[in-house]
Amino acid sequence: MAEESSQSPNSSFNLFAITQTQLDAAAEVLELDPALHAVLREPLREMHVTLPVRMDDGSIKVFKGYRVQYNDARGATKGGLRFHPNETIDTIRALAAWMTWKCAVVDIPLGGGKGGIACNTKELSSSELERLSRAYIRQMGRILGPEMDVPAPDMYTNPQIMTWMMDEYSVMRGHNEFGVITGKPLALGGSRLRNDATARGGMYCIREAAKALGIETQGATMAIQGYGNAGQYAASLGQKILGATIVAISDSQGGVYDPDGINPYWALEHKRKNGSVKDFTATGATPISNQELLELDVDILAPSALENVITARNAGNIKARILAELANGPTTPQADDILYNHGVYTIPDFLCNAGGVVVSYFEMVQNAYDYYWDDQVVDERLDTRITQAFHAVHKRAQELNVNNRIAAYCVAVERVAEAVRLRGWA
Ligand code: GLU
């Protein structure tokens, strides 16, 4: 199952420009030194590659691949690889910037990176996908490695793709190098709980937010947009960890609503068989559009797929008390202001979905030591990191009287800026 999302990027907003706007707002609050600000506004390095791949019919098809190493002042760059037909360098730059802030806000010793290939995985056979994945590593391998830059799964990439890539890299190096990539299967150096880590971290954030707001999560209503890796685990863990009732779910084709609650496992079964949760009405749910889902009167809303789905156009209609952004970049800056003024409590993306990279970091540590932890150890350590990060952000928002996104930026940017300054880069 692909990580993060089952839907396509929404290209009507330039995501990189959005990340720069968000950074500028935090820089103003922090009164950040202009030189530091200028360094943090741009990616440090980018690599663009051309990948000729032999198709099953014998023809050669040429793909474009990218990797952006946004900032490595605090450690090796870290972040996923997306395989998507509409992949653009600006989207990857934005996601690499968010990875930088994400690793900093949860205080793991890593920088931010992101990569991808413009391709449609649905049109590729498994052997074509394998050749494409290996071709990417043959080109990018020279800038990857546990001490340099460590990819992971993201949109339309999965543990099998990570394994082909790790294998190709190991062949290039002449020895096994499990730590070059995370999100691997358990049999080949993967970490326990990596699969559901993005959603799990989000649930711990929601639990803490609910406590801070005096909301009882047992029986709270929750709507989830997207049923990829983040969304499907948000549904099952929302029930298990929070005791929430999952009243609405959706994917790119549409969704269903049931005020009595939807069974996440049956819904997943339905999606596996039919390709979508859209018609999962057998247990009494009714169809609902993605737009309607976002505007439901629920306690918790978790956009878990596309970027830019909450904009100035619909932000005023959001009725949720907690907006838990499991997707990267679901909310535009104008929408942020509207939500804040309407009293919606936003848990910003790079905090809410940081569980994935936290467990990826644990995977790197386990690979380095060749010593593996059990579920309980991973879970406790994840919970501690996320809970600490949540409270650092919540407290900063109260102190500065700013929304949680700006507060999260302040916490993260301060840490990266300090590393940049101490190293003498600015
Ligand atoms: N793709 C995930 C993210 O956006 C995980 C990155 C990682 O594990 O390195 O956070």
Side-chain angles (χ1 to χ4, degrees):
M1 186 59 63
E3 171 109 342
E4 297 284 318
S5 167
S6 56
Q7 300 181 22
S8 62
N10 178 349
S11 54
S12 51
F13 294 83
N14 183 319
L15 271 198
F16 185 48
I18 289 180
T19 64
Q20 290 184 317
T21 306
Q22 293 168 340
L23 173 68
D24 295 347
E28 203 181 311
V29 175
L30 289 172
E31 296 178 13
L32 193 67
D33 171 75
L36 279 173
H37 184 188
V39 173
L40 300 181
R41 249 181 144 256
E42 300 290 338
L44 287 178
R45 279 182 295 279
E46 289 181 358
M47 177 105 145
H48 298 219
V49 294
T50 301
L51 306 170
V53 174
R54 191 167 297 282
M55 298 288 104
D56 291 345
D57 66 4
S59 66
I60 297 280
K61 201 167 166 188
V62 177
F63 297 86
K64 293 300 291 181
Y66 310 95
R67 185 76 185 167
V68 173
Q69 299 177 339
Y70 194 85
N71 191 292
D72 60 0
R74 285 170 47 88
T77 45
K78 184 83 193 82
L81 293 175
R82 317 208 314 172
F83 284 8
H84 196 279
N86 302 339
E87 206 58 277
T88 70
I89 186 66
D90 269 339
T91 308
I92 296 175
R93 284 178 183 134
L95 291 156
W98 280 325
M99 284 308 306
T100 307
W101 315 133
K102 194 180 299 192
C103 292
V105 84
V106 288
D107 209 7
I108 55 177
L110 295 169
K114 204 83 172 193
I117 303 178
C119 68
N120 187 346
T121 53
K122 289 180 185 156
E123 289 170 1
L124 296 172
S125 71
S126 170
S127 50
E128 288 167 344
L129 194 58
E130 176 174 350
R131 287 193 288 276
L132 178 61
S133 304
R134 289 183 185 275
Y136 181 85
I137 292 302
R138 281 198 300 278
Q139 285 296 335
M140 287 299 178
R142 65 201 78 196
I143 62 160
L144 302 178
E147 287 88 27
M148 250 193 294
D149 184 8
V150 182
D154 202 289
M155 201 184 267
Y156 290 115
T157 54
N158 57 33
Q160 176 61 76
I161 293 174
M162 299 304 111
T163 306
W164 290 325
M165 291 183 164
M166 179 280 289
D167 183 70
E168 191 68 26
Y169 187 84
S170 296
V171 170
M172 285 165 72
R173 290 284 173 272
H175 58 86
N176 278 341
E177 191 72 89
F178 288 169
V180 68
I181 211 156
T182 60
K184 301 180 295 293
L186 285 177
L188 280 167
S191 174
R192 312 230 32 121
L193 302 190
R194 176 62 187 85
N195 252 353
D196 68 18
T198 304
R200 189 177 286 272
M203 297 309 112
Y204 294 147
C205 285
I206 296 171
R207 181 194 64 203
E208 296 304 308
K211 266 192 234 161
L213 299 172
I215 297 171
E216 173 59 72
T217 61
Q218 188 65 41
T221 50
M222 183 165 174
I224 300 166
Q225 186 193 43
Y227 223 61
N229 175 283
Q232 63 182 251
Y233 284 119
S236 52
L237 294 178
Q239 238 182 18
K240 203 169 134 194
I241 295 175
L242 304 174
T245 303
I246 312 306
V247 294
I249 57 173
S250 70
D251 56 37
S252 57
Q253 298 181 41
V256 283
Y257 169 68
D258 186 346
D260 295 328
I262 292 163
N263 182 315
Y265 304 98
W266 294 351
L268 188 59
E269 210 37 51
H270 182 91
K271 187 174 167 78
R272 283 202 179 117
K273 283 199 192 113
N274 305 286
S276 170
V277 297
K278 187 176 83 154
D279 299 315
F280 179 57
T281 49
T283 53
T286 49
I288 189 172
S289 71
N290 266 297
Q291 206 47 52
E292 288 165 336
L293 180 145
L294 293 173
E295 297 178 12
L296 283 174
D297 191 357
V298 287
D299 297 309
I300 305 156
L301 173 64
S304 312
L306 272 180
E307 49 259 17
N308 295 328
V309 290
I310 302 177
T311 66
R313 280 181 40 211
N314 61 356
N317 302 332
I318 303 290
K319 297 172 199 74
R321 298 168 77 190
I322 297 175
L323 176 65
E325 296 182 340
L326 281 172
N328 286 312
T331 309
T332 65
Q334 289 103 318
D336 260 341
D337 292 338
I338 300 170
L339 294 169
Y340 186 57
N341 292 334
H342 284 209
V344 177
Y345 189 93
T346 300
I347 308 171
D349 50 5
F350 68 76
L351 169 64
C352 195
N353 68 29
V357 76
V358 170
V359 178
S360 274
Y361 163 59
F362 295 163
E363 185 172 329
M364 288 171 68
V365 173
Q366 293 170 82
N367 291 156
Y369 281 86
D370 229 340
Y371 180 73
Y372 289 83
W373 311 343
D374 62 21
D375 284 19
Q376 199 191 339
V377 171
V378 175
D379 190 31
E380 279 171 11
R381 291 181 180 176
L382 171 66
D383 194 346
T384 305
R385 294 253 166 199
I386 294 287
T387 302
Q388 272 170 4
F390 174 87
H391 286 289
V393 170
H394 179 76
K395 186 162 159 263
R396 188 64 73 90
Q398 311 292 307
E399 282 166 5
L400 296 173
N401 217 0
V402 294
N403 70 39
N404 288 334
R405 191 176 323 276
I406 304 290
Y409 264 92
C410 288
V411 171
V413 167
E414 240 172 30
R415 289 179 182 157
V416 181
E418 190 194 2
V420 169
R421 191 182 52 76
L422 284 171
R423 295 180 71 135
W425 296 354

